[in-house]
Amino acid sequence: MNMMRSGVLPRGIAGLLVLVMLAGAGCDGCQRPAPPTGQEGALLLGEMIPQTAQVVIFAEELSSLESALNGVMDRAPVVGEALEGVVLDQVWSSVGAGAGLPAVGYLAHGQVVLAGWRQPGVEVEEAGELWGMEARAHEVEGAQRALRLHDGRGVLKGWAVMDARRWAVGWLVDEEAKTRLDEDVLALGERSLEVEGHRRFLTTSQQRPISAMISAGRLAEGLSGKGQAGILAQRMARELGWVHVRAGLDATRRQVELEVGTPGVRGVATSIEDLGEAAGDLPPVGGLVRPGVLGAVRISASPERFAEFVRSSLSADDRQRLDQWIEELNEELRVDVMGNVVGQLTGQALVVIYGLESSFFEQEGIEALARLVRLKSTRDAVLLPIKERRPVEDMLNSLTQVSRGKLQRQVIRHMIQYAWIEDGELKWALILGDDHVLLVDSAVAFDHANRWERSPQTEGGLMEGRGLEGMLAGRSGGGIYVELGALRGIFEEKGPEDLARWLTPFEAVKVRAGVGERVDRAQVVLWLEDAWAGGTPSAAVPSTIADEVPRTAGDQESK
C-alpha cells in the first residue's frame, strides 16, 4: 500500500516498459562493436564468400589488398583491361570501407568481388553514378544500401551492397554470369566458405599480410584436353582440393615471394605419392646451368618409385607398349634393361631446357603442357648421376651392336659419346662419364653438354640473384626455374599472344618443393621487371626464400 501511494511501483513498471521499447527498436543509438582486425578479421569475412569461389584473397588490411590490385592492374594488361575504369578510391568511399581493416577479394560465378569491414562512424552519401556508370538503387534483404551499376546501354556491369558493419562490391567479368551475388553475399549461411583449413595453414607459415585459397579442382574444370593428359590433369586438380598461398614482397620490391601448401582433400584417395628419397646427391653442375638457358628442373626421388609413377601415369595401351618394348629389348640385348638402367640411377636428375620445338605451338591446352612435361617439344639436356659406370656402358655397347649403324660410339678422354643418327640427322646423343649420364636431344643441347663435359665448372656459371643453389643443393626436394622474360619473347613471336600478355610483368619464376621436408609445401619466387610501387614490402623479417643457398638458369637457340 505504501509502495502504491509513494509511486515507486508505477515508476518502476514505466522504466521497465521504456527498456523493452528501446530493445525492440534495435538500439539504433547504441555503439556497435569495433570491427575485428588482423588475420582473424580477414578469415571472418569468409562468411561473405560462397563455397563455389575459385580464387580467394585475404588481406589483413584493405590498403595491402589495394596496393596489390593496383600493382597487378598496372603490370598485367589482361587484368587491367578486365577492370578498366574501376577507380578503387571511389569504391571505398561509396561503401565506407576502412583502409586499415581486413578485406577479401574473390572470383566466383563470373564476378570479381571485393568485401570488407566498414569504418565505424563514417557516413556514406548516396551515389547516383560510380566509375562513369549509372548507380540504381536496388532492394537486397538485410542490406542498408544496395546499388546496381549499368553502362550507357543499360547493361548490368556491377553492384555494391552494405549492411551495418560490412560492405561488398562486384564486377561482372563474364558475360554469361547468371548468379547475382549481391543478393546472396550478406546472408550465405551454410553456403559460405569453410576457412578452417586455411587457418591451419596460416598458423604454420611465415607471417605475410596477404594470403589466398585457390580451388584447383574448379579451375581445372576449364582445362581442355583429350585422352590421358586431360584425364590426369583434372584428376590431380580434384585431388589437390584447395591450394593455400601466403604472399608478399621482399625488401627490394623486385621479388614476389609465396609459400604454397597443398594438403589435398580429406577422405579422397590420391594418386599424388611419396616418391621416396634419392640414394645420392646431385653433383655440382656449375656452367651446365648458365645465363641463356630457358629453364631448369631438378628431381629427387627413389628411382624405382619414380619409374613406377611415370609408368602409372600412362594410358593402359601405352603401358602395354612400354612393357612389350622393354621385354623385346631385354631379349635382343641379353641384359636386364631396368636393372642396368633404373638400378644404376641415384634418383637425382637435372633437366636443362635450351628452347622450344615448333611442335609445341601446334598443340593447345593440356596437350601442349603434356608434351612439354614429357620433353617432346623442348631442346634439352638431362643429367643423371649413376652408381656404377660399367653396367650402363655394357648395355649401351650392346645397343650399339644391334642398332644397324644408327647408334655410333666415340671415346674422348674420360667420356664415351653415343649418338643416334638417322639420314644424317642427330636424333639424340648420350655422354657417359665416370659418375653420370648426360642425355641430349638436339645439336643445340649437345653443344652445351659437350662444352661442359670438356671443361666442367664446379663453381659459378649460374645467374646472380636467382637463388638456384638452394634448389639444387641437398638430397631431397625438387624445383623448377623458368626465364619468363625469354618465354614471353618466344610467345610474342610465335604465339599464343594471350599467354605472352599474362607474362608481361615477370622476368623469372623459381619453385622449390619439399620445403622443410614437408611434401605438401613449396616456396615460389617471382622476379618482376620493375620494382613494385606503393605499399610496404612484407619482408619485415629477412627474406627466407631467395637467400636459401642460391643457383640459376635461362636461351633460346635454333637447331
Side-chain angles (χ1 to χ4, degrees):
M1 183 71 70
N2 290 336
M3 291 178 63
M4 290 292 293
R5 285 199 188 106
S6 62
V8 173
L9 186 58
R11 284 197 296 272
I13 293 173
L16 182 60
L17 287 173
V18 170
L19 288 173
V20 170
M21 290 170 64
L22 285 173
C27 194
D28 287 338
C30 295
Q31 184 176 4
R32 293 187 177 89
T37 59
Q39 176 180 299
E40 193 57 30
L43 290 175
L44 286 172
L45 291 170
E47 296 176 355
M48 302 179 72
I49 304 170
Q51 295 173 357
T52 49
Q54 295 167 290
V55 179
V56 182
I57 300 173
F58 299 89
E60 296 182 13
E61 292 187 357
L62 175 61
S63 58
S64 298
L65 183 60
E66 180 180 21
S67 175
L69 281 172
N70 280 328
V72 172
M73 288 168 66
D74 289 343
R75 289 167 176 77
V78 178
V79 178
E81 289 169 12
L83 300 180
E84 185 178 4
V86 173
V87 181
L88 295 179
D89 287 344
Q90 291 183 12
V91 176
W92 315 147
S93 61
S94 67
V95 293
L101 296 175
V104 296
Y106 62 87
L107 174 65
H109 301 288
Q111 294 159 80
V112 173
V113 180
L114 300 177
W117 299 101
R118 292 182 60 188
Q119 184 69 43
V122 173
E123 294 296 326
V124 178
E125 297 181 3
E126 284 283 355
E129 185 180 276
L130 198 57
W131 319 313
M133 291 185 284
E134 180 187 0
R136 302 177 187 174
H138 180 66
E139 291 293 327
V140 171
E141 185 177 354
Q144 283 189 348
R145 181 175 300 169
L147 302 171
R148 283 192 169 178
L149 310 175
H150 299 260
D151 64 12
R153 297 174 298 162
V155 178
L156 179 65
K157 292 294 184 179
W159 51 265
V161 295
M162 64 183 198
D163 61 14
R165 302 184 70 202
R166 304 170 301 171
W167 59 269
V169 293
W171 297 267
L172 277 65
V173 293
D174 186 344
E175 301 272 337
E176 310 251 334
K178 295 183 173 60
T179 301
R180 306 304 181 205
L181 283 173
D182 57 341
E183 297 179 344
D184 302 323
V185 69
L186 295 176
L188 286 167
E190 294 181 356
R191 293 174 296 152
S192 65
L193 182 69
E194 171 56 58
V195 299
E196 190 55 39
H198 194 61
R199 181 182 279 110
R200 288 194 298 270
F201 167 75
L202 295 178
T203 60
T204 58
S205 58
Q206 184 178 349
Q207 177 65 32
R208 298 183 189 279
I210 291 180
S211 64
M213 295 172 62
I214 302 170
S215 176
R218 291 193 183 94
L219 290 177
E221 290 172 2
L223 285 176
S224 61
K226 299 178 181 178
Q228 188 70 3
I231 293 171
L232 286 175
Q234 294 201 18
R235 185 179 74 185
M236 183 171 290
R238 286 194 301 271
E239 292 167 359
L240 283 174
W242 284 101
V243 176
H244 303 278
V245 181
R246 208 158 190 178
L249 289 171
D250 80 329
T252 69
R253 302 179 187 273
R254 292 291 301 273
Q255 297 177 23
V256 179
E257 300 183 343
L258 304 100
E259 184 172 351
V260 182
T262 54
V265 181
R266 290 187 177 184
V268 175
T270 179
S271 60
I272 303 172
E273 303 176 11
D274 180 1
L275 297 178
E277 188 171 298
D281 296 332
L282 189 69
V285 297
L288 189 62
V289 183
R290 62 178 183 79
V293 305
L294 187 60
V297 180
R298 186 265 177 98
I299 299 170
S300 177
S302 160
E304 293 77 15
R305 289 192 190 181
F306 186 74
E308 182 54 35
F309 171 74
V310 172
R311 181 181 177 278
S312 67
S313 67
L314 301 174
S315 66
D317 289 342
D318 286 342
R319 282 198 300 272
Q320 186 175 358
R321 280 193 288 268
L322 175 64
D323 293 342
Q324 183 177 350
W325 178 76
I326 291 175
E327 185 177 344
E328 291 173 355
L329 208 55
N330 284 339
E331 293 178 3
E332 192 167 9
L333 300 181
R334 297 180 182 178
V335 296
D336 178 6
V337 173
M338 294 302 289
N340 283 16
V341 176
V342 177
Q344 291 303 318
L345 298 176
T346 67
Q348 300 287 358
L350 176 66
V351 182
V352 185
I353 300 174
Y354 299 101
L356 298 176
E357 297 282 3
S358 58
S359 60
F360 173 80
F361 304 97
E362 297 169 2
Q363 304 291 326
E364 292 183 358
I366 199 65
E367 286 92 350
L369 181 60
R371 286 185 61 84
L372 193 64
V373 170
R374 295 199 300 265
L375 303 180
K376 287 186 173 293
S377 56
T378 58
R379 292 192 283 276
D380 55 78
V382 182
L383 176 65
L384 299 169
I386 57 176
K387 300 171 185 175
E388 294 182 59
R389 170 170 167 157
R390 175 55 63 184
V392 179
E393 183 179 350
D394 289 344
M395 189 203 71
L396 290 171
N397 289 340
S398 298
L399 185 59
T400 302
Q401 294 172 10
V402 300
S403 68
R404 299 182 178 87
K406 293 180 179 179
L407 185 60
Q408 300 178 12
R409 178 180 184 272
Q410 183 179 14
V411 178
I412 302 177
R413 297 197 305 273
H414 66 285
M415 59 182 174
I416 305 176
Q417 293 181 354
Y418 298 86
W420 189 279
I421 299 175
E422 292 184 23
D423 300 324
E425 181 183 356
L426 176 69
K427 295 298 183 181
W428 57 266
L430 186 149
I431 301 173
L432 179 61
D434 292 333
D435 59 358
H436 67 271
V437 169
L438 193 51
L439 181 65
V440 298
D441 66 349
S442 64
V444 170
F446 181 79
D447 288 343
H448 284 280
N450 203 29
R451 190 184 308 126
W452 177 73
E453 286 283 5
R454 290 176 183 274
S455 56
Q457 301 171 8
T458 57
E459 299 291 340
L462 297 165
M463 290 178 289
E464 291 184 17
R466 296 299 199 227
L468 291 193
E469 283 86 348
M471 190 182 91
L472 302 178
R475 182 163 295 190
S476 62
I480 301 172
Y481 175 82
V482 181
E483 275 288 326
L484 296 178
L487 193 60
R488 183 178 69 248
I490 297 172
F491 290 159
E492 287 174 344
E493 180 183 348
K494 299 183 178 181
E497 291 184 5
D498 286 346
L499 189 52
R501 296 174 71 219
W502 275 106
L503 297 176
T504 296
F506 306 113
E507 283 187 349
V509 62
K510 180 186 69 176
V511 180
R512 186 182 177 196
V515 177
E517 300 191 358
R518 291 191 60 162
V519 296
D520 64 342
R521 289 292 170 94
Q523 291 176 338
V524 181
V525 179
L526 280 162
W527 281 269
L528 303 173
E529 286 194 330
D530 302 307
W532 196 280
T536 55
S538 66
V541 291
S543 170
T544 59
I545 298 180
D547 297 335
E548 286 183 278
V549 205
R551 264 187 206 189
T552 300
D555 140 309
Q556 201 224 351
E557 301 178 41
S558 57
K559 255 185 180 177

